[in-house]
Amino acid sequence: MGRLICLSNRIPTGANPSGGLVVALGDVLEETGGLWIGTSGETTDLPDATLREIEGGPFKRLCFDLTEEEQENYYAGYSNSVLWPLFHGRTDLMEIHQEYLNTYKRVNRRLAKMLAPIIQPDDRIWVHDFHFLPLAYELRVLGVQSPIGFFLHTPFPGPISMQALPNGREICQWLSNFDLIGLQAERDVRACLASMVEIGGGSDLGGNFMHLSPRQCRIEAFPISIDAGEFKELAERQIEELPDGIVKPNRSLMIGVDRLDYSKGVPQRFRAFGEFLARHEDWHRHVSLIQISPPTREGVQAYDDIREETEYLSGQINGTFADIQWAPIRFINRSVPREVLAGLYRASQVALVTPLMDGMNLVAKEYIAAQNPDDPGVLILSQFAGAAEQMGQALIVNPHDTEQMATTMLTALLMSRQERRERYHALMDGLTTQDVHWWSKSFLAMLG
Ligand code: ADP
């Protein structure tokens, strides 16, 4: 078997790189003598012309630096201020500037030129995420014939959104140069097929094959996941280590864990919790919401706005309902170590995973994996998370519907132990069968 070459925007760093993708791909990279390629996270004055090896680690890693201008226009610009909002149904937040697109193409072309000479004929290439949409096209121009797969970690936009992007057609053409396009959910596959036909001018050949001259590609759903067994063990260990004051007698805990991104629906969640408290005075002092939200993409206006709105709402709800013994919302605007998170999930009776749009949402899966099977908590999950297609035994909500969310919070808090167990076991069975190892194996088996 040839080598696997993986590309992702940020290369896993450190002597022992960690993270979901490393867990999923580390073994096959090691077995095939493969490579992982990505940006270093550092900036440089002059663009690199060759890839640089990172010392140590269980598999070979090659990286390159971005210039300040590339960081600004390729990363913060086209990737995060055009593609991210577009792919999350927020075309109104797209910032269209020609220099963003020019730099995005230039970075992908530069990467293709550094990569092409090291590709061997039997290598397989797996490109991750929206930072590298043109990469297969650029590699084909340079004569690379190897199988190239792509996995998009976000949702895929349908034709109505895609037509808002001035170069939507070009994106479809780029994508057709991948042999296999992996998406998170069936809804994304439907959206992608429709966009490739309506915006890209392709022909749907049936059976998830698309012809977009001169190439043919296959588009399939591969829902990403976690290592459920490993996370379960982590939570079991960590529940003993929880800091004092988190768990209180006669008080239920609800938890939300999301980067502070406008796609995550945190303000809608806070409003629904405010509505719940307004309706149910008997629950005052008996329930708290702990929301852990590290800042992300600071300096981009839409992210500054969401932070301001979230801080305002938590202050307003606490101002309305808090008393000396109780504050309804604890809003923590920083990252916490993974093991602490695992313990907090296990200590929480309810998880609120209510994004307005999300590729998958791994927090939903982590929460279930962390539960005590004898006395599990309840997951409230947005219908707009890719995870909702697999996790139908959660309480599924529309995050825009404040009334429904508030009612569902009460349902979750009052749910019998028997029903919680039944739902948990069904969800956990799914997580164990289709874990992150299943995800990477099924993608690579189809890539060939
Ligand atoms: P996204 O990739 O859009 O951020 P996901 O829910 O798919 O959303 O993945 C988020 C990952 O980041 C999860 O593994 C989660 O545990 C982790 N995470 C989110 N918020 C925090 C936090 N405050 N501290 C530590 N880890 C976090």
Side-chain angles (χ1 to χ4, degrees):
M1 189 174 38
R3 300 177 305 175
L4 176 67
I5 301 181
C6 277
L7 291 103
S8 65
N9 178 56
R10 275 303 296 276
I11 192 140
T13 49
N16 280 311
S18 59
L21 278 187
V22 177
V23 168
L25 300 170
D27 286 352
V28 44
L29 285 169
E30 268 187 80
E31 281 159 22
T32 65
L35 313 168
W36 197 313
I37 298 167
T39 63
S40 63
E42 284 159 26
T43 51
T44 177
D45 292 338
L46 278 179
D48 296 334
T50 51
L51 296 164
R52 183 172 80 242
E53 183 158 359
I54 298 177
E55 294 301 318
F59 48 81
K60 190 167 172 177
R61 288 172 292 174
L62 300 174
C63 69
F64 65 106
D65 300 334
L66 295 173
T67 65
E68 292 282 350
E69 185 268 333
E70 288 170 345
Q71 178 72 21
E72 192 65 25
N73 291 331
Y74 148 82
Y75 181 69
Y78 199 74
S79 299
N80 285 347
S81 304
V82 179
L83 294 176
W84 179 272
L86 170 71
F87 286 13
H88 288 85
R90 294 298 304 269
T91 49
D92 58 313
L93 294 178
M94 288 193 301
E95 292 173 23
I96 305 292
H97 298 295
Q98 190 59 41
E99 65 271 25
Y100 285 0
L101 178 59
N102 293 345
T103 310
Y104 180 80
K105 289 187 193 178
R106 184 160 25 85
V107 169
N108 274 276
R109 192 165 305 140
R110 180 155 79 83
L111 175 56
K113 281 191 180 142
M114 294 188 285
L115 178 59
I118 59 176
I119 296 175
Q120 297 165 4
D122 61 348
D123 286 342
R124 294 180 299 167
I125 300 153
W126 189 356
V127 178
H128 288 267
D129 235 356
F130 54 91
H131 311 89
F132 297 136
L133 301 178
L135 194 61
Y137 165 78
E138 295 292 352
L139 288 169
R140 302 296 183 207
V141 168
L142 297 172
V144 173
Q145 306 285 333
S146 314
I148 312 180
F150 176 69
F151 187 79
L152 182 68
H153 292 253
T154 70
F156 196 95
I160 292 175
S161 295
M162 197 60 128
Q163 69 185 343
L165 186 70
N167 68 318
R169 186 180 175 88
E170 190 178 33
I171 286 195
C172 296
Q173 279 160 348
W174 287 337
L175 284 174
S176 67
N177 286 273
F178 291 101
D179 297 287
L180 176 60
I181 298 171
L183 300 169
Q184 297 275 29
E186 293 298 340
R187 65 152 190 215
D188 302 313
V189 171
R190 289 192 293 275
C192 183
L193 289 167
S195 285
M196 296 281 265
V197 170
E198 288 181 39
I199 309 295
S203 310
D204 189 339
L205 303 176
N208 291 9
F209 285 93
M210 173 67 50
H211 180 261
L212 212 162
S213 185
R215 296 195 62 91
Q216 182 172 311
C217 60
R218 184 170 186 180
I219 302 163
E220 297 283 351
F222 298 92
I224 200 167
S225 194
I226 59 168
D227 186 330
E230 182 264 347
F231 206 85
K232 182 171 189 288
E233 282 171 25
L234 183 66
E236 276 163 5
R237 283 198 303 276
Q238 288 301 317
I239 192 69
E240 310 299 334
E241 311 285 329
L242 270 188
D244 290 344
I246 300 280
V247 180
K248 292 216 161 65
N250 299 322
R251 187 169 298 169
S252 296
L253 204 55
M254 297 204 204
I255 190 166
V257 175
D258 319 70
R259 282 181 306 105
L260 200 43
D261 191 290
Y262 47 78
S263 65
K264 299 293 184 182
V266 178
Q268 286 77 1
R269 185 180 308 165
F270 280 4
R271 276 192 213 102
F273 186 54
E275 173 69 21
F276 169 83
L277 294 174
R279 283 191 202 173
H280 301 289
E281 209 173 321
D282 51 328
W283 275 95
H284 291 193
R285 266 167 256 113
H286 298 302
V287 61
S288 306
L289 168 58
I290 180 163
Q291 175 67 44
I292 304 177
S293 283
T296 175
R297 300 175 194 169
E298 287 169 292
V300 175
Q301 187 60 45
Y303 289 82
D304 297 344
D305 292 349
I306 191 78
R307 179 171 179 166
E308 206 170 290
E309 187 181 5
T310 316
E311 281 171 353
Y312 169 78
L313 279 169
S314 66
Q316 191 204 32
I317 291 167
N318 281 340
T320 307
F321 298 104
D323 63 21
I324 291 174
Q325 297 163 321
W326 169 67
I329 298 185
R330 254 205 244 185
F331 179 45
I332 297 161
N333 199 208
R334 60 171 56 100
S335 198
V336 302
R338 192 163 167 271
E339 57 275 14
V340 175
L341 213 51
L344 285 172
Y345 287 140
R346 195 171 174 109
S348 301
Q349 283 65 45
V350 179
L352 298 173
V353 181
T354 55
L356 306 180
M357 186 51 83
D358 213 332
M360 175 52 56
N361 198 297
L362 294 179
V363 169
K365 297 188 171 183
E366 290 169 355
Y367 176 74
I368 291 301
Q371 294 311 295
N372 175 356
D374 269 352
D375 190 12
V378 180
L379 172 63
I380 298 183
L381 180 62
S382 162
Q383 66 191 77
F384 302 113
E389 281 187 14
Q390 292 173 297
M391 303 182 84
Q393 297 85 1
L395 296 179
I396 305 291
V397 292
N398 173 357
H400 301 282
D401 188 341
T402 310
E403 307 274 312
Q404 182 209 30
M405 290 245 282
T407 305
T408 308
M409 286 175 189
L410 184 66
T411 306
L413 288 166
L414 296 178
M415 190 180 285
S416 71
R417 190 167 174 158
Q418 173 67 18
E419 183 174 352
R420 285 187 279 119
R421 278 187 188 164
E422 283 166 15
R423 288 177 185 266
Y424 161 81
H425 284 294
L427 288 165
M428 195 61 187
D429 282 351
L431 285 189
T432 317
T433 323
Q434 299 193 330
D435 70 358
V436 74
H437 304 287
W438 165 87
W439 169 79
S440 55
K441 279 197 190 96
S442 5
F443 184 95
L444 289 170
M446 198 175 285
L447 181 60

